[in-house]
Amino acid sequence: MAGDKSARIYESADVVVIGFGAAGECAAIAARERGADVIALDRANGGGATAISGGIIYAGGGTTVQRQAGVNDTPEQMLAYLRLEVGDAVSPETLESFVRSSPGMIDWLSSYGVPFSPALCPYKTSFPNNRYYLYHSGSENAGAFRCHTPPVQRGHRVKGSGTSGRKLYAPLAKAALALGVRFWPHTTVTNLIQDSSGRVTGVEALTMHNAPPRIRRLYAAMAELSAKPGIYYPPLRRRLEGRLRRLERRYAEPVRIDARRAVIICAGGFIANTDWVRRFAPQYLGGLQLGTSGDDGSGIALAQRAGAVTDRMDNVSAWRFITPPSAFIGAIIVDRRGDRVIDESRYGAAVGQAMIRQHQGAGWLLADAALMREARRQMIKQPLWFQRAQVAALMLADAVTAPSLREVAKAAGIDPDGLVATVAAHNTAIDTGAPDPAGKPAEFVRRISQPPFTLLNISVRPSLLNPTPMLTLGGIRVDERSGAVVTESGEPIAGLFSAGRTAAGICSNSYISGLSLADCVFSGRRAGTHAATTSAAQSPR
């Protein structure tokens, strides 16, 4: 692809990074650590989905934070657990490299100002409140996993109030700039430049870099609003995105940036691209798009036009969390037939996946009076404000209560005979000391016997009160040794690398909290390191 002759701005760098969330930041920093001159581009303000995330890093094997908390973990234990979750998403060698480098990853992030805390959460939850920062963030406690390896807390929540993703993004951004990374926000890459051999040698983009200061401030403010508020109210995002495009048409200038060594695409996934979700994973159309408007697959499409191929594009993570309150782990999840759906101690993405793929998205949480009383008591201290609001809405607007199992089943539209039989099997297992029928560990099992009974509707469906967050896990295929983007034959595309959710990676089979951000750090550093040591005369391998 030839360069754009109409470009008014010309720049060059050793490495050009597209997207400035966690993967892009880590790629840029790693490249600068090896002396490369780096320009990082972002279509919005920077941060991407990282800045609006919960800020969880999945790490273990004996991190500094784990040791401070008194948590005993080994690389072998972490590897045994992740083998079950990751499956064949990456090679055994790559997974072991990820695990072995995990303690050093936390130290590396800390060295650049990312704050962590050893405050250990004493109960199982989907996301801890502001008192706790190290917790079981996956399915470590569930029966199918603890029989292989002891449950260990590996969810390292970056220290900060609420969802603390910005506390991960901001220190890394500051560090990147201090190291000399040249950051261009409000710059949308439109094309990759390739020479006659197919090597990627730069990018073409549209930038607001030279727009009047007043316009740039307006653009930045609207991009900020479009990010997190726009997730929860899509009409707001659509209006803001329309205004942003109008500003670009008036003020954006074409720019060509030559890459002397490589381009690294870290532009996120494609959950914001409804057409792509409908094409690759139509059963996931009813969820909350967990990402920014930049997660539209544009980075994947750039790589495809240069010869890249994709992998696992049909794999979407759908989150159906039932905690907090932690008491709800003792409830059971049933479908329309009244059958159990899954071990309720599993991570919320596993719950959502089971509901969508095996139960047509339907699911209800069944609790008796004693469990509901305990859950209401826990609502005082366990949740953060937004969790409390969601659970309160679920209890008030999406629940039915009745004095008998048959009556509550009829009220919810569930088969009464099926529900009665399921509860009988559940209680009989408790009374006889038999294993739970769904494999839930004994410490979480509660007898369901005290009326009235409540069914809370946690089905996967469009809902303002109780939405199902979703993110895409597939992306372009890369060489796992370097992060180089590869063709169908497995050959690397010279001068092109990728990281984060633009690329298939560690979390592309099964998502647990923190595994995506950890993969962004791991794959970003890998791509940055190899891109910085690539020259125009050599292959990325």
Side-chain angles (χ1 to χ4, degrees), residues 238-305:
R238 287 192 291 269
R239 286 198 294 270
L240 290 169
E241 288 298 313
R243 294 185 67 185
L244 288 170
R245 301 295 83 80
R246 287 193 292 273
L247 287 176
E248 288 168 356
R249 285 192 292 271
R250 182 171 179 182
Y251 294 102
E253 295 179 306
V255 56
R256 170 179 170 147
I257 304 176
D258 292 330
R260 291 184 289 271
R261 299 184 187 178
V263 172
I264 309 175
I265 306 177
C266 308
F270 64 92
I271 194 62
N273 189 328
T274 303
D275 290 340
W276 278 27
V277 175
R278 182 179 292 108
R279 173 184 171 191
F280 294 111
Q283 66 270 47
Y284 293 93
L285 283 170
L288 182 80
Q289 297 177 352
L290 194 62
T292 70
S293 56
D295 288 290
D296 60 359
S298 56
I300 297 172
L302 282 172
Q304 285 180 302
R305 292 199 294 272

Side-chain angles (χ1 to χ4, degrees), residues 58-145:
Y58 194 87
T63 69
T64 301
V65 178
Q66 286 179 315
R67 295 197 305 271
Q68 290 172 346
V71 172
N72 295 315
D73 193 15
T74 67
E76 291 71 25
Q77 289 176 332
M78 182 180 178
L79 189 58
Y81 172 70
L82 285 182
R83 281 192 184 118
L84 299 171
E85 293 280 16
V86 172
D88 63 352
V90 295
S91 70
E93 294 77 16
T94 298
L95 183 59
E96 183 162 0
S97 175
F98 172 76
V99 169
R100 299 287 178 188
S101 64
S102 187
M105 175 179 64
I106 293 296
D107 292 341
W108 185 83
L109 290 170
S110 297
S111 73
Y112 283 115
V114 177
F116 294 101
S117 166
L120 197 64
C121 188
Y123 51 83
K124 174 67 177 168
T125 185
S126 61
F127 189 82
N129 62 35
N130 293 329
R131 293 189 293 274
Y132 306 117
Y133 291 92
L134 183 62
Y135 73 116
H136 290 110
S137 67
S139 291
E140 300 91 351
N141 281 296
F145 297 91

Side-chain angles (χ1 to χ4, degrees), residues 75-419:
E76 291 71 25
Q77 289 176 332
M78 182 180 178
L79 189 58
Y81 172 70
L82 285 182
R83 281 192 184 118
L84 299 171
E85 293 280 16
V86 172
D88 63 352
V90 295
S91 70
E93 294 77 16
T94 298
L95 183 59
E96 183 162 0
S97 175
F98 172 76
V99 169
R100 299 287 178 188
S101 64
S102 187
M105 175 179 64
I106 293 296
D107 292 341
W108 185 83
L109 290 170
S110 297
S111 73
Y112 283 115
V114 177
F116 294 101
S117 166
L120 197 64
C121 188
Y123 51 83
K124 174 67 177 168
T125 185
S126 61
F127 189 82
N129 62 35
N130 293 329
R131 293 189 293 274
Y132 306 117
Y133 291 92
L134 183 62
Y135 73 116
H136 290 110
S137 67
S139 291
E140 300 91 351
N141 281 296
F145 297 91
R146 64 164 59 192
C147 64
H148 293 277
T149 183
V152 174
Q153 297 91 337
R154 300 191 184 99
H156 291 60
R157 178 185 166 207
V158 175
K159 189 174 183 181
S161 297
T163 51
S164 46
R166 190 162 290 279
K167 294 293 185 178
L168 171 64
Y169 166 72
L172 290 178
K174 182 179 179 181
L177 297 179
L179 287 171
V181 173
R182 290 179 281 159
F183 177 44
W184 284 39
H186 315 150
T187 302
T188 302
V189 175
T190 56
N191 195 30
L192 297 178
I193 303 170
Q194 291 176 278
D195 65 16
S196 58
S197 71
R199 180 184 182 85
V200 174
T201 59
V203 304
E204 295 167 352
L206 292 171
T207 184
M208 300 287 287
H209 199 64
N210 290 333
R214 173 181 61 84
I215 299 300
R216 291 172 62 189
R217 287 193 296 270
L218 176 62
Y219 190 101
M222 289 194 294
E224 183 75 17
L225 281 174
S226 175
K228 195 156 189 174
I231 290 179
Y232 299 101
Y233 189 58
L236 172 65
R237 173 172 286 180
R238 287 192 291 269
R239 286 198 294 270
L240 290 169
E241 288 298 313
R243 294 185 67 185
L244 288 170
R245 301 295 83 80
R246 287 193 292 273
L247 287 176
E248 288 168 356
R249 285 192 292 271
R250 182 171 179 182
Y251 294 102
E253 295 179 306
V255 56
R256 170 179 170 147
I257 304 176
D258 292 330
R260 291 184 289 271
R261 299 184 187 178
V263 172
I264 309 175
I265 306 177
C266 308
F270 64 92
I271 194 62
N273 189 328
T274 303
D275 290 340
W276 278 27
V277 175
R278 182 179 292 108
R279 173 184 171 191
F280 294 111
Q283 66 270 47
Y284 293 93
L285 283 170
L288 182 80
Q289 297 177 352
L290 194 62
T292 70
S293 56
D295 288 290
D296 60 359
S298 56
I300 297 172
L302 282 172
Q304 285 180 302
R305 292 199 294 272
V309 293
T310 58
D311 192 19
R312 300 176 190 263
M313 295 288 278
D314 61 343
N315 199 3
V316 175
S317 182
W319 303 352
R320 235 29 201 134
F321 293 122
I322 62 172
T323 62
S326 59
F328 278 160
I329 298 177
I332 63 173
I333 302 174
V334 297
D335 63 10
R336 293 189 186 280
R337 298 184 302 272
D339 296 334
R340 286 282 285 281
V341 169
I342 195 171
D343 168 1
E344 292 78 16
S345 64
R346 290 290 302 275
Y347 176 68
V351 174
Q353 184 182 69
M355 288 170 60
I356 290 174
R357 296 189 177 181
Q358 301 164 30
H359 302 271
Q360 294 75 53
W364 286 262
L365 193 66
L366 174 66
D368 69 1
L371 194 146
M372 289 299 294
R373 285 194 297 270
E374 183 177 350
R376 290 189 179 97
R377 287 195 297 270
Q378 292 173 346
M379 287 284 287
I380 299 171
K381 291 185 177 181
Q382 285 189 3
L384 289 167
W385 71 267
F386 65 90
Q387 295 170 315
R388 186 176 294 111
Q390 287 180 336
V391 177
L394 179 65
M395 290 180 174
L396 292 172
D398 260 339
V400 292
T401 301
S404 73
L405 289 171
R406 288 188 175 277
E407 289 172 287
V408 78
K410 289 178 181 177
I414 293 172
D415 176 42
D417 291 337
L419 185 65

